[in-house]
Amino acid sequence: MGDLEIRPAVVDDVPAIVAMLADDALGAARETPDDLTPYVTAFERLDVDPNQHLVVAVREGRVVGTLQLTIVPGLSRTGATRSIIEGVRVHADERGSGLGTRFIEWAVDESRRQGCQLVQLTSDATRTDAHRFYERLGFTASHLGFKLQL
């Protein structure tokens, strides 16, 4: 894995990121990789926000993974800052290679560096393999999450 680089995403990475977001049954139903305009607009918003860290993993010049880390200051937990890991994707060719573990370790380390006291993430209820993966890395399923589609 020495040839793997984790770096901030750039706008030219958007097509590869969107392709990974769409590369499963859930993503295929909610992503529209044929029109990258809304993704580029979203990227531009993320890129100027210092609390957003959209990163990619690159191997041999090819984007093979992505995740977004959001830093959230708060009042609860005695004014604790937390981070949220979102949009974790690993290219199909790289699954099982240890990249997912390395990505989450990067996010946890970056969260510590940013002064966070808590790292949280959500995972779709149907992604049981992902749940086992996160539990192996020390995450606990401590809360029940809710969403409201707008």
Side-chain angles (χ1 to χ4, degrees), residues 6-18 20-21 39-57 63 65-71 84 86-89 103 106 110:
I6 296 175
R7 63 159 171 78
V10 296
V11 73
D12 288 344
D13 297 325
V14 169
I17 293 169
V18 173
M20 284 185 288
L21 292 173
Y39 298 99
V40 170
T41 300
F43 175 85
E44 290 167 350
R45 289 177 56 207
L46 291 169
D47 198 40
V48 297
D49 184 339
N51 288 321
Q52 302 297 329
H53 305 276
L54 181 63
V55 297
V56 292
V63 174
T66 188
L67 72 73
Q68 180 178 334
L69 182 69
T70 299
I71 308 301
I84 301 170
E86 176 68 31
V88 180
R89 296 293 189 280
F103 244 164
W106 175 90
E110 182 62 20

Side-chain angles (χ1 to χ4, degrees), residues 76-77 82 118-123 125 131 135 139-146:
S76 67
R77 296 180 178 248
R82 67 185 68 211
L118 179 70
V119 178
Q120 61 190 45
L121 55 83
T122 60
S123 178
H131 304 163
E135 287 170 347
F139 288 81
T140 58
S142 62
H143 290 69
L144 182 63
F146 298 88

